Amino acid sequence: MVRLNKIYTRTGDAGETGLVDGSRAPKHDPRIAAIGEVDEANSAIGVALFHLPAESEAAAMLGRVQNELFDLGADLATPGEDFAPTEMTLRIVQGQIDRLESEIDAMNATLSPLTSFILPGGEPAAAHLHLARAIVRRAERAAVAAGAGRSLNPLALQYLNRLSDHLFTLCRVINGGGARDVLWEPGATR
């Protein structure tokens, strides 16, 4: 259980931050950068949620994703070689990826095939989710970079990869099943 009595601790004032195991890492460490990118993606999803009905299936999916992004941040902040979750260790697990894939497949079954690339935009919620999707892609690149010098949960990387696909598909659903997608017109301004 999380309990925060005090928001500022001063422990990061020297440019380091704490990891789950109690060790410290410099704030410029690639692991910390990846955690920050995940946090930014979560924040962008929160902005998109502002534009969706709270009781919608899209909001329910994004609520699950936001919680999982906190799990993902904890996973990235936990050094070690053992990626099995425990009572005290949050790890991304295959079931979370499987659920994303199942939701992607269900959403995609309602959509017409793409005939063009899509520009970020459309409905306000979709436009914000396109931004979140791009941030998730950046978070994925940061996590891959962080994993170059240490062991990271490979399922965390898979989750990020699948999440960007999930957000893209959800954008199309929110854009009226693709009817309000903004289509790329190659060379249109030449």
Side-chain angles (χ1 to χ4, degrees), residues 37-50:
E37 303 292 354
V38 168
D39 186 37
E40 186 178 347
N42 206 345
S43 297
I45 290 170
V47 174
L49 277 165
F50 176 77

Side-chain angles (χ1 to χ4, degrees), residues 101-184:
E101 290 177 352
S102 176
E103 290 176 358
I104 292 167
D105 292 343
M107 289 187 290
N108 205 43
T110 68
L111 300 171
S112 301
L114 288 171
T115 58
S116 174
F117 286 107
I118 295 173
L119 301 177
E123 296 294 322
H128 286 292
L129 284 179
H130 275 296
L131 178 59
R133 174 191 52 77
I135 296 168
V136 167
R137 285 284 190 212
R138 183 170 8 113
E140 181 184 11
R141 291 189 302 272
V144 168
R150 66 182 56 90
S151 294
L152 292 180
N153 182 358
L155 294 178
L157 299 176
Q158 288 179 30
Y159 183 89
L160 285 166
N161 188 278
R162 216 62 82 246
L163 179 57
S164 61
D165 296 333
H166 186 281
L167 295 176
F168 175 81
T169 307
L170 184 55
C171 287
R172 296 199 66 219
V173 169
I174 291 168
N175 277 338
R180 290 183 295 283
D181 284 340
V182 180
L183 301 180
W184 175 46

